[in-house]
């Protein structure tokens, strides 16, 4: 059992969720309520990582993270080490490929709030930000919880992109999914089996917890 | 403070209205569906931005397209009762009210819930309340904001008829305590006539008529938009203690009438909505008639329209009643202003919900 890889995967999932939580609330609300030109285009862009092979997204990220690209150059200048094959690079890649999993359910959550309720909030004197806190979020939270659960579980299991932009540096970018692959390559089926079972258990527990929460809330989250 | 509204718009529906509502005054916006009634309300609330327009309350302007001013909805002191009530489903009744207050005050929330007869329901969620109770919470929440203007968008349309009567009566009593302009949007002319001081008739976005409720309900031009069968007058009457065979004896200025379904303490005043097309006129006092209600009246004027009917304006003592009869009958009876005639009314022609408490609003 590669505990280091498991810890790294959990850490990656944690940071991804932490970054995507506010992002999904803001972007989800914007896409749910906004009426603007090019909305379909933005929605399509958000969904793109869902249909692209991870290797394609990974390839572009790797190019973008490189020292010859502006982002990679900027990162190198600021932090003194390359973005590619680093944990930070992995988090950034993870945030990008989880965009559809985070934003879409949040958007659906906000869309489920009747327009008249938002108007009632404004008529009751609530500023837009206060209404978000007092009315929108309490009503949209099933969608947001769904988004975060999917993001968490999906990050634990992602393989292709991690391999492309992270490689397999122990303690840096070697996630549990990569570790399983490593073990299989080394004909250590027992080691791979233990880790695979652990991943199944964690993913199952996460999803089950969501269902338990949603049954308590009387609403479906997934 | 007076609410002044002026709107000109071409899209999504053409609108051209210009009116003001004084404090203590209830203006009913009526007209066929699609006439733009709700849009006018939404402009006042800041939920819709017209091409041109001005909305002001007292000296404060909320909207002035000429200067580019458009206060966002949450900065306008309005109390809005939505057709669907739009209560916050995750909050209790009291919390719904407190969210609308500048400084949340549980004691004040309780007072307001008492005011709308919801003692003991403070901790219920909207889903645990009946339709009528939800409507009351919506009214209380609108008042919790301490609004400068109260806006009611078809507030009674989602409750059943039996509950509606009670809620309308409550609004009437509540009105005595409110010193603010009230705008009521309704498609129900009975409701408009019983509740409003003045009426504005809208049709395809333009003002057909604005005036006191009695004027508008007798005006042939306004009635063309509203449907002439809606012409009606409110006749004040006093409830006597006498009840026989389910009929209550009421005293009008010129005699008794007997009506079913009258509730109220003896001695109190009610207003009975009498539909013009239900009224029969007779030169001589008729005998041997099944109709129980025969009142002497004086013809004040005759108003001819385009069709075969004539609107007869009658005075029953100091009160006005309308009768819509055929041109042919007018000729045969030789009716003319100044004549004394007898107004005949079937008891059963007055619907239960066409009787409202009170003596009139602006009076």
């Amino acid at each position: 059992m590669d505990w280091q890889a498991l810890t790294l995967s959990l850490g990656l999932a944690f940071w991804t969720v932490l970054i995507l939580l506010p992002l999904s609330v803001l972007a989800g609300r914007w896409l749910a309520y906004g009426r603007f030109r090019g909305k379909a285009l933005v929605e399509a862009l958000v969904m793109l990582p869902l249909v692209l092979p991870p290797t394609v997204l990974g390839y572009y990220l790797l190019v973008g993270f490189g020292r010859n690209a502006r982002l990679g150059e900027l990162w190198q200048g600021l932090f003194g080490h390359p973005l590619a094959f680093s944990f930070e690079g992995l988090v950034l890649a993870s945030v990008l490929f989880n965009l559809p999993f985070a934003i879409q359910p949040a958007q659906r959550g906000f869309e489920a709030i009747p327009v008249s309720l938002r108007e009632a909030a404004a008529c009751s004197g609530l500023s837009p930000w206060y209404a978000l806190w007092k009315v929108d979020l309490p009503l949209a939270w099933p969608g947001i919880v769904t988004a975060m659960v999917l993001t968490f579980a999906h990050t634990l299991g992602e393989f292709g992109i991690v391999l492309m932009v992270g490689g397999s540096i122990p303690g840096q970018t070697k996630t549990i999914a990569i570790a399983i692959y490593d073990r299989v390559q080394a004909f250590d089926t027992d080691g791979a089996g233990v880790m695979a079972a652990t991943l199944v258990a964690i993913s199952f527990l996460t999803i089950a917890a969501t269902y338990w929460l949603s049954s308590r809330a009387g609403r479906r989250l997934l | 403070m007076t609410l002044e509204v002026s709107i000109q718009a071409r899209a999504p529906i053409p609108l051209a209205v210009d009116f003001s509502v004084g404090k203590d005054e209830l203006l009913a916006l009526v007209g066929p569906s699609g006439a733009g009634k709700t849009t006018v309300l939404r402009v006042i609330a800041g939920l819709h931005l017209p091409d041109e327009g001005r909305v002001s309350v007292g000296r404060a302007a909320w909207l002035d397209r000429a200067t580019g001013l458009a206060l966002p909805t949450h900065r306008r002191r309005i109390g809005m009762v939505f057709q669907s009530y739009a209560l916050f489903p995750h909050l209790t009744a009291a919390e719904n009210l407190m969210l609308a207050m500048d400084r949340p005050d549980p004691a004040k929330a309780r007072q307001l819930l008492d005011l709308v007869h919801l003692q003991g329901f403070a901790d219920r969620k909207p889903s645990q309340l009946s339709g009528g109770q939800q409507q009351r919470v919506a009214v209380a929440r609108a008042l919790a904001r301490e609004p400068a203007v109260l806006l009611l968008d078809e507030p009674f349309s989602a409750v059943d008829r039996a509950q509606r009567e009670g809620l309308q009566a409550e609004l009437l009593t509540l009105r005595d305590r409110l010193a603010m302009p009230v705008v009521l949007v309704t498609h129900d002319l009975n409701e408009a006539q019983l509740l409003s001081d003045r009426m504005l008739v809208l049709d395809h976005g333009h003002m057909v008529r604005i005036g006191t409720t009695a004027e508008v309900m007798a005006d042939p031009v306004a009635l063309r938009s509203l449907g002439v069968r809606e012409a009606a007058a409110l006749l004040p009457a006093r409830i006597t203690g006498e009840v026989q065979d389910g009929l209550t004896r009421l005293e009008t200025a010129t005699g008794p009438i007997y009506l079913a379904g009258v509730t109220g303490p003896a001695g109190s005043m009610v207003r009975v909505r009498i539909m013009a097309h239900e009224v029969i006129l007779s030169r001589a006092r008729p005998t041997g008639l099944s109709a129980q209600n025969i009142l002497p009246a004086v013809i004040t004027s005759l108003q001819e329209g385009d069709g075969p009917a004539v609107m007869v304006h009658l005075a029953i003592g100091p009160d006005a009643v309308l009768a819509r009869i055929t041109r042919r009958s007018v000729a045969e009876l030789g009716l003319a202003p100044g004549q004394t005639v007898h107004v005949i009314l079937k008891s059963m022609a007055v619907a239960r919900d066409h009787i409202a408490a009170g003596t009139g609003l602006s009076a």
Side-chain angles (χ1 to χ4, degrees):
Chain A
M1 180 68 199
D2 190 342
W3 290 105
Q4 196 182 37
L6 180 65
T7 317
L8 189 99
S9 276
L10 290 174
L12 181 64
F14 171 78
W15 282 105
T16 308
V17 166
L18 200 70
I19 293 170
L20 279 175
L21 179 61
L23 201 68
S24 70
V25 167
L26 295 179
R29 191 191 201 217
W30 177 57
L31 287 173
Y33 303 161
R35 299 271 169 278
F36 55 91
R37 209 190 266 264
K39 182 174 167 178
L41 201 70
V42 175
E43 285 178 311
L45 271 174
V46 166
M47 289 306 279
L48 201 57
L50 196 65
V51 291
L52 277 182
T55 43
V56 171
L57 194 58
Y59 165 76
Y60 283 115
L61 285 172
L62 200 56
V63 171
F65 288 178
R67 234 168 285 187
N68 299 327
R70 199 160 294 169
L71 178 66
E73 192 186 26
L74 187 74
W75 189 272
Q76 178 86 34
L78 281 173
F79 299 100
H81 65 88
L83 191 52
F85 308 113
S86 72
F87 183 71
E88 292 88 341
L90 215 52
V91 170
L92 189 56
S94 176
V95 164
L96 283 174
F97 75 67
N98 273 303
L99 280 178
F101 297 92
I103 292 178
Q104 246 251 345
Q107 182 184 346
R108 297 287 169 264
F110 284 111
E111 279 170 352
I113 302 173
V115 181
S116 64
L117 278 188
R118 291 191 279 124
E119 292 181 344
C123 288
S124 298
L126 276 65
S127 70
W129 285 109
Y130 197 54
L132 171 66
W133 181 243
K134 286 295 206 179
V135 177
D136 297 24
L137 278 181
L139 293 174
W141 75 265
I144 294 160
V145 170
T146 305
M148 293 308 113
V149 168
L150 286 177
T151 302
F152 188 85
H154 184 230
T155 310
L156 283 186
E158 181 52 41
F159 178 77
I161 284 193
V162 176
L163 197 62
M164 290 288 283
V165 304
S168 174
I169 305 164
Q172 272 287 326
T173 59
K174 189 176 179 181
T175 63
I176 184 100
I178 305 283
I180 293 171
Y181 180 71
D182 260 11
R183 290 296 91 209
V184 172
Q185 292 286 299
F187 299 106
D188 177 7
T189 41
D190 286 352
V194 170
M195 284 190 276
T198 310
L199 208 53
V200 168
I202 294 175
S203 302
F204 177 76
L205 282 176
T206 315
I207 307 279
T210 318
Y211 272 98
W212 178 73
L213 265 176
S214 63
S215 72
R216 276 184 37 134
R219 279 182 287 184
R220 282 186 69 89
L221 302 180
L222 271 180
Chain B
M1 284 194 285
T2 304
L3 167 72
E4 283 176 75
V5 179
S6 161
I7 307 167
Q8 282 81 41
R10 280 166 293 281
I13 53 158
L15 261 184
V17 294
D18 204 329
F19 63 90
S20 64
V21 191
K23 87 171 175 53
D24 301 328
E25 195 177 35
L26 192 150
L27 177 81
L29 285 179
V30 297
S33 61
K37 308 183 292 283
T38 296
T39 307
V40 171
L41 217 59
R42 293 175 64 81
V43 169
I44 300 172
L47 297 170
H48 178 79
L49 194 64
D51 300 330
E52 286 171 54
R54 207 186 127 80
V55 175
S56 64
V57 179
R59 251 183 268 156
W62 285 355
L63 172 77
D64 193 347
R65 292 296 268 164
T67 63
L69 171 83
L71 229 54
T73 299
H74 69 275
R75 296 195 36 213
R76 303 184 185 199
R77 284 227 155 258
I78 45 163
M80 176 83 136
V81 176
F82 289 83
Q83 189 170 4
S84 60
Y85 313 140
L87 297 177
F88 305 124
H90 58 298
L91 302 178
T92 64
E95 287 167 344
N96 262 278
L97 268 58
M98 286 195 283
L99 197 55
M101 295 177 192
D102 294 329
R103 275 178 298 279
D105 178 357
K108 196 178 143 198
R110 233 182 345 266
Q111 271 173 25
L112 280 166
L113 287 173
D114 286 356
L115 189 66
V116 295
H117 306 287
L118 281 178
Q119 295 93 332
F121 290 93
D123 296 327
R124 299 264 190 111
K125 294 264 181 79
S127 59
Q128 299 165 312
L129 296 169
S130 74
Q133 290 166 340
Q134 289 181 30
Q135 199 265 4
R136 291 186 171 103
V137 176
V139 170
R141 183 179 67 183
L143 296 177
R145 175 135 173 74
E146 291 179 351
V149 174
L150 187 61
L151 305 172
L152 310 169
D153 187 8
E154 302 268 10
F156 306 106
S157 64
V159 288
D160 61 45
R161 211 170 135 150
Q163 291 202 58
R164 196 177 309 160
E165 279 174 54
L167 292 169
Q168 288 171 349
E170 279 175 30
L171 183 69
L172 275 177
T173 42
L174 205 59
R175 282 226 34 223
D176 299 337
R177 313 180 51 150
L178 308 177
M180 64 188 82
V182 184
V183 183
L184 165 74
V185 162
T186 180
H187 65 274
D188 182 341
L189 285 169
N190 176 43
E191 179 175 303
Q193 193 164 18
L194 293 179
L195 297 177
S196 70
D197 305 309
R198 288 197 304 144
M199 281 170 80
L200 192 168
V201 183
L202 265 185
D203 199 354
H204 292 97
H206 67 264
M207 283 169 50
V208 176
R209 183 83 161 84
I210 183 166
T212 67
T213 301
E215 277 168 21
V216 171
M217 290 309 284
D219 183 68
V221 180
L223 289 167
R224 204 170 299 147
S225 297
L226 300 173
V228 75
R229 288 184 65 83
E230 291 287 351
L234 290 180
L235 180 66
R238 184 178 303 280
I239 300 179
T240 69
E242 262 178 76
V243 182
Q244 229 173 17
D245 304 327
L247 293 180
T248 304
R249 183 180 153 124
L250 301 157
E251 212 59 58
T252 73
T254 62
I257 55 173
Y258 300 85
L259 296 177
V262 180
T263 49
S268 64
M269 293 296 291
V270 292
R271 291 167 305 138
V272 183
R273 186 167 188 246
I274 294 175
M275 309 298 292
H277 63 84
E278 301 278 12
V279 171
I280 298 168
L281 297 182
S282 166
R283 289 292 300 268
R285 186 175 177 90
T287 51
L289 207 63
S290 73
Q292 291 283 306
N293 308 311
I294 301 167
L295 296 171
V298 178
I299 297 176
T300 47
S301 66
L302 295 160
Q303 205 169 28
E304 296 203 14
D306 304 330
V310 175
M311 191 71 81
V312 185
H313 294 247
L314 301 135
I316 294 184
D319 306 314
V321 161
L322 297 171
R324 189 164 169 265
I325 59 176
T326 59
R327 217 182 277 267
R328 191 184 150 92
S329 305
V330 172
E332 273 184 16
L333 294 173
L335 297 182
Q339 278 173 352
T340 298
V341 289
H342 294 270
V343 166
I344 304 164
L345 185 69
K346 279 184 69 176
S347 295
M348 293 301 144
V350 176
R352 223 188 115 84
D353 61 353
H354 282 204
I355 303 169
T359 50
L361 295 162
S362 46

